[in-house]
Structures are given as C-alpha cells and as structure tokens.
Amino acid sequence: MIPVRGVEDRRIAVLGLGRTGLSAARAIMAGGGVALCWDDAEAARERAAGEGLTLHDLGRGGAWEAVDALIVSPGIPHLYPAPNRYVAAAQAAGVPVDNDIGLFFRSLAVPEWDRFETVPRVIAVTGSNGKSTTSALIHHCLEVAGRESQLAGNIGRGVLDINPPGDGGIVVLELSSYQTELARSLTPDIAVFTNLTPDHLDRHGGFGGYFAAKRRLFAEGGPDRAVIGVDEPEGRLLAGQLSEGAGDDRVIRISSGQKLGGAGWNVFVRKGFLAEFRKSRQVASIDLRAVRGLPGAHNHQNACAAFAALRALGLAPKLIEQGFQSFEGLPHRSQIVGEKGGVTFVNDSKATNVDSAAKALAAFSGVRWIVGGQMKDGGLSAVAPHLGNVSKAYAIGRQAAEVALELNEMAGRSLCEVCETMAEAVGRAGAEALAGETVLLAPAAASFDQYDNFEKRGEDFVSEVARVLQKGGPDDPGGEMKDA
C-alpha cells in the first residue's frame, strides 16, 4: 500500500466504494487521515462498514462541514454531462475534488529514496485504444529483463494498492481519460500517448474535451520523456507542443504505418518491421511478423509505444525483443483462445467501439466476424474498408437485426446473419469456418445489453469456443484450447 501523504488528521470524503474508493480510503487511513466513505448502493456501504471504514452520508444537512477534500471514483462525473450531485455539493462548499491518481502522485516519493542508487520511476500510458496492451507489454518486458516492475491503474491493481517501489523500481500505470481529467497531481517520468479516436464524448463535452483530458498528462505532468503516437492530428499537435525543435529527443514519435523522418527520436513499423531512428540514423529493428502475441497494425502500434518507453528507460533492443517474443497478449484483446482444423478463434471482446473493431478486422483475413451489442453513435461505417477480410458476419445482441441490415447494405451483399446469442453465433461460425480462417469476436459495441461488462462477454465467447472444440467427430482429434 502507498499511504497518502499530507492528510494527517484531515477529514477526507471518499465517494464511490468500488475497488478504487476502498483502496483510497484505506490509503488515507494509513497516512493518518480520516476517511469518510459514501456510496448510494447499500451493498457497497455494507462492504465498507464490514472493513471498519466510517460511513458518512454526503447527502444529509451539514455533511460538508469540516471536510477537507473529496476523492471520487473514475466513473463519477464532475462536469459533463452533468456533475454528480455530491460533487456539485462539494464544489458549492469550496471543497477540493481529487481522485486516487492525484493522491498517488503526491504520495509516491518518500525520504527513503535519498538512499537509493536509482530513484524509482513511473511510466504512465494513456490514449483511446491499446493502452492496456501497451502497459502490460512494458511491464512484461521489464520482468523479462529482471527489473522490478508493478502494473496498476486502469489495469491490474489500484494505484494505491501497490507496494512502495524499491531501488530502481518501475511503476507502469494505465490511465483513462476519466483518471487524467481530474487528478490534481500528475508527475510521470515517462508518459505515453497511443492514439486518439472518438470515445466517452458525453463525459468530456465533445472530442475537444476528450483530447484535453488526455493532454493533461503531458501539459501538466511535465514528463522527462514523452512517447507520442503521431498517426492522428491530435498526436502530431501534442508532439509539436512538447518539443523545442526537430532534434529534441525528449519527445519520441511513434507510428504504425508511416516512416518517420527528421533528426529526432522516432520509432515506427512498416511491413511488419519495427525500426528505431535517432538523429536520422537507424539504431535498432525488430521483425514483428512472427510475434504471435501482437498481431495486426494496431498491436504493432502498441509495440512501438512499449519499445519507445523501454528504450527511454535504457533497455537494450535485444532484451525488449525477448520480451515481445514471450508476450502472450491480454485476455479479451486479440487473444487467441483455441484452434481446430486450421481455424483460429480470437477473443477481442475489448473492441467496444467501431475503430477498435476495424483494427481487429484489419489484422486477419478470412474472418468469421461476431459483432454487435449495445451499439454506439455513428454506426459501423469505419469498418467498411475492411469488409473484404470478412467471409461472413454473425450479429448478436438486442440490436442484432439493425447491425445485420447495416452491414449487408454497406457490403452490398448478404454478409451478416442474425444470431442474437453468443452460443448461436460461435456455433454457426465454428461449423462454417474453413481451414485458414479466423473466428473473431470484435463486437464494435458495449456489452451492457447482455453482459455486465466486456470481460463477461469475452468469457462467454471462450466458453462457447470450448464447446466447439470438444465436438470433434470420430476422425477429428479435437482442438487445442489456449489458456483464457
């Protein structure tokens, strides 16, 4: 645990008692503060009370008297589309609002670091797509290299639940826009911006607000090194704003589809080969085509981001390549879960928006595509350039008929059939797939019409794939099921 610093004898309200809120409350108490906890859900309050935490109804009269700060969980809005009523009350009372990320950054460094040979460092990764895989890949490569590393934030453990890092330790954080937009303290040593595509626009008051939330990690965080994906205009703008000139190697530009020139520090992938250039000279390269855990252009972008961050730490390219080769990917993110008769089954349930799904489709050919769920605004037009990779689509979820109609009209042929359930879709796709094809779950939609979250959806896919693999006939030895 990271005890929160500067809260001795202060009364800190904690709103939202899920993983993040409970972790923050414990860390506040460990730092000598008084945690005043509240959640509208009775079950969450009972869980907190069972831990011995103090409940404090933030809706009653006088609730904000003598409260020094409010800590909110990521899912609680503070501005758009409208402030949460408790947050609005705190703001009206002049109570500062922060989150666990802000507490973490102000509490991590301790006087004991003066005795360390190498001060611990923090790598913070943000962006629309790929930040989980990038963060996990950085962490994996550090472990392969024998370096102390902890993975936390929007992936793995809560930031305040990690152990205090030791001499030379590295903390790798995945940070969402919900986390970066509100943290009052942001001081990463290395900050990574993967890419930017429209998402969470209601929460941020539009695309500009969404970009601004991501940009705070760099503009206010002031990292020693910034790794910036420049395949979108926002990334190019951000890289230019952070750089003092073309040769400024404090900014490392990355791309998954274009050769980057100039005198600066660049990492890019072309035709499956990752290249690192410094001062216009190539200094390293990795063949990513055979790296099974990183298929497709979107994962090659993740590889560029991870490689650049690790090089900024001083890791040798050969050590990084070893980490890449042994990386198996994350559950629900282009995760190979089984093979049978030359057919590969891939779980990309995390592809909850159309841009993510388009990138998944681009990574494979001969795709039996399982698509649908709680669809987002804008439709499926972004996948149109990749429909040539799709042998057939199988629509699931409450909007399955609408999804099938849109895809059939877009393709100009009968491409998609309505299945509604995961069991029906996987069963049909598995039965119809030919050797060399891929059965891909990349829903391009949220999961909440049928599942609690995308993880549950992915687990259902894995379970149904297992059924398909076990159906082998007398001459069929069955399939191989990968670890889910």
Side-chain angles (χ1 to χ4, degrees), residues 408-471:
N408 289 338
E409 290 180 348
M410 195 184 304
R413 60 189 172 98
S414 182
L415 177 69
C416 184
E417 70 171 288
V418 175
C419 292
E420 296 186 355
T421 67
M422 186 70 73
E424 184 179 359
V426 174
R428 290 192 188 182
E432 296 172 1
L434 305 175
E437 291 189 327
T438 299
V439 176
L440 170 68
L441 171 66
S447 59
F448 305 121
D449 60 329
Q450 292 180 306
Y451 304 94
D452 290 339
N453 48 53
F454 74 83
E455 291 95 343
K456 293 295 184 183
R457 177 171 58 191
E459 290 164 7
D460 191 19
F461 174 77
V462 171
S463 176
E464 294 302 329
V465 168
R467 293 177 187 273
V468 170
L469 298 183
Q470 293 165 3
K471 284 183 179 177

Side-chain angles (χ1 to χ4, degrees), residues 19 131-132 152-157 159 173-176 179:
R19 184 192 73 166
K131 56 186 178 292
S132 294
N154 205 43
I155 185 174
R157 305 162 70 184
V159 293
L173 300 182
E174 178 197 337
L175 298 181
S176 72
Q179 294 169 308

Side-chain angles (χ1 to χ4, degrees), residues 61 102 201 256 268 273 308-309 383:
L201 301 190
S256 63
F268 58 88
F273 286 86
V383 305

Side-chain angles (χ1 to χ4, degrees), residues 1-4 7 12-38 48 51-54 71 100 103 160-161:
M1 179 187 293
I2 305 293
V4 176
V7 296
I12 313 295
V14 177
L15 177 60
L17 299 176
R19 184 192 73 166
T20 298
L22 291 175
S23 171
R26 298 184 199 110
I28 290 167
M29 293 175 63
V34 178
L36 306 174
C37 304
W38 191 250
E51 286 195 25
L53 297 173
T54 300
I71 307 302
D100 65 322
L103 296 181
L160 295 169
D161 281 336

Side-chain angles (χ1 to χ4, degrees), residues 3 266 307 318 378 474:
N266 300 313
F307 182 92
K318 286 294 182 183

Side-chain angles (χ1 to χ4, degrees), residues 95-162:
V95 174
V97 181
D98 202 352
N99 62 15
D100 65 322
I101 304 301
L103 296 181
F104 167 83
F105 275 112
R106 86 182 201 196
S107 304
L108 183 63
V110 293
E112 287 75 9
W113 285 16
D114 292 340
R115 301 197 298 267
F116 289 173
E117 184 174 334
T118 303
V119 172
R121 282 181 282 183
V122 176
I123 301 175
V125 181
T126 195
S128 296
N129 300 308
K131 56 186 178 292
S132 294
T133 297
T134 299
S135 301
L137 182 57
I138 293 170
H139 172 64
H140 174 78
C141 290
L142 287 169
E143 291 195 320
V144 168
R147 300 284 293 272
E148 178 195 318
S149 176
Q150 297 182 79
L151 182 63
N154 205 43
I155 185 174
R157 305 162 70 184
V159 293
L160 295 169
D161 281 336
I162 68 170

Side-chain angles (χ1 to χ4, degrees), residues 365-390:
S365 59
V367 176
R368 301 279 172 168
W369 179 27
I370 299 175
V371 56
Q374 184 175 307
M375 306 306 295
K376 298 183 178 180
D377 293 341
L380 293 165
S381 59
V383 305
H386 310 292
L387 291 182
N389 291 359
V390 179

